Amino acid sequence: MVEVEVRAAHNVVEACARTETIDKVVFTSSATAVLWRDNNSQSLASDLDERHWSDVNFCRKFKLWHALSKTVAEKTAWALAMDRDINMLSINGGLLMEPHLSITHPYLKGAAEMYECGTFVTVDLQFLVDAHICVFEDVSSYGRYLCFNHAITNHEDAIHLARLLTPYSPSPPPSYEEANMIIQQRLSNKKLNKVMVDFESELLLED
């Protein structure tokens, strides 16, 4: 998986570098390229954002292949973009809530740990599309953007997602503590939200 992702990322960015008419590249990556690190590192930071990268050694150790492939592929793309002087941005999306989403999706490896750490986030397709358009059109956009519009931070959200993924499996009743527990969200998408609000405001002014 890692080799395929890296080769694909390299080939796409290289093709963009050779095309004179391309002004900006928006690279689609994943939030899993941001959020995986050992517990000691996670406890030091109040929030994780675009400045953070998943630890590739941690991903290898716990066989988080989706996170490993997305991290290495994105780093490959950034290295080539800088080497070839390409104006590149990345959208690091949460779990895409598509109609055919199933429990076998590789993003979901480590889902319980993401939930407990406050880093389990999802994104709707339309929001993801709008984010791509927004950062492409905004002349001041730069770097990486974490992209999600929902965080799984309580038992009700977790059960709802579990029922979507495994509709025929019974859900055990939660304990009082589980039902009332709120997990602190520790993944921040403030950078993208600001760009999207500013972009939408400009569109309204033009109308």
Side-chain angles (χ1 to χ4, degrees):
M1 182 185 290
V2 176
E3 291 177 356
V4 171
E5 288 270 0
V6 169
R7 188 163 55 248
H10 181 278
N11 290 345
V12 168
V13 177
E14 179 63 31
C16 293
R18 296 181 181 183
T19 307
E20 295 181 359
T21 55
I22 289 182
D23 179 59
K24 182 185 291 186
V25 175
V26 181
F27 185 86
T28 304
S29 186
S30 172
T32 58
V34 173
L35 57 88
W36 285 112
R37 57 193 56 229
D38 64 66
N39 290 332
N40 290 331
S41 295
Q42 288 197 9
S43 63
L44 293 175
S46 58
D47 282 325
L48 298 174
D49 58 26
E50 295 84 357
R51 294 169 294 181
H52 296 89
W53 287 89
S54 289
D55 185 329
V56 293
N57 293 323
F58 181 88
C59 293
R60 286 194 183 96
K61 180 179 179 181
F62 292 99
K63 300 181 180 180
L64 300 163
W65 306 129
H66 181 271
L68 178 62
S69 63
K70 294 298 182 182
T71 302
V72 177
E74 188 187 344
K75 285 190 172 185
T76 298
W78 276 112
L80 184 57
M82 288 187 281
D83 181 63
R84 301 297 300 272
D85 197 25
I86 298 171
N87 181 14
M88 193 181 94
L89 316 164
S90 72
I91 293 288
N92 294 70
L95 175 66
L96 179 60
M97 300 303 291
E98 56 173 325
H100 303 295
L101 182 65
S102 74
I103 195 67
T104 60
H105 195 294
Y107 188 108
L108 292 165
K109 179 71 181 292
E113 289 76 12
M114 285 190 283
Y115 172 62
E116 292 169 1
C117 291
T119 57
F120 195 173
V121 294
T122 65
V123 63
D124 297 327
L125 178 59
Q126 189 57 57
F127 189 87
L128 184 65
V129 171
D130 289 344
H132 278 75
I133 295 172
C134 177
V135 299
F136 180 80
E137 295 287 348
D138 190 332
V139 295
S140 64
S141 59
Y142 66 96
R144 308 168 82 204
Y145 290 87
L146 268 167
C147 179
F148 60 90
N149 58 346
H150 186 67
I152 310 296
T153 57
N154 58 64
H155 188 77
E156 184 179 349
D157 287 344
I159 290 297
H160 177 69
L161 179 59
R163 286 173 177 164
L164 288 176
L165 297 171
T166 55
Y168 302 110
S169 298
S171 300
S175 65
Y176 177 82
E177 290 77 12
E178 287 178 328
N180 292 278
M181 181 173 61
I182 302 295
I183 306 277
Q184 180 183 354
Q185 179 183 325
R186 294 192 53 242
L187 207 59
S188 173
N189 60 349
K190 291 179 181 178
K191 181 182 176 184
L192 176 64
N193 287 344
K194 183 181 185 307
V195 173
M196 293 188 74
V197 168
D198 292 344
F199 183 70
E200 290 171 359
S201 298
E202 289 178 7
L203 290 179
L204 289 173
L205 289 175
E206 290 176 2
D207 292 341

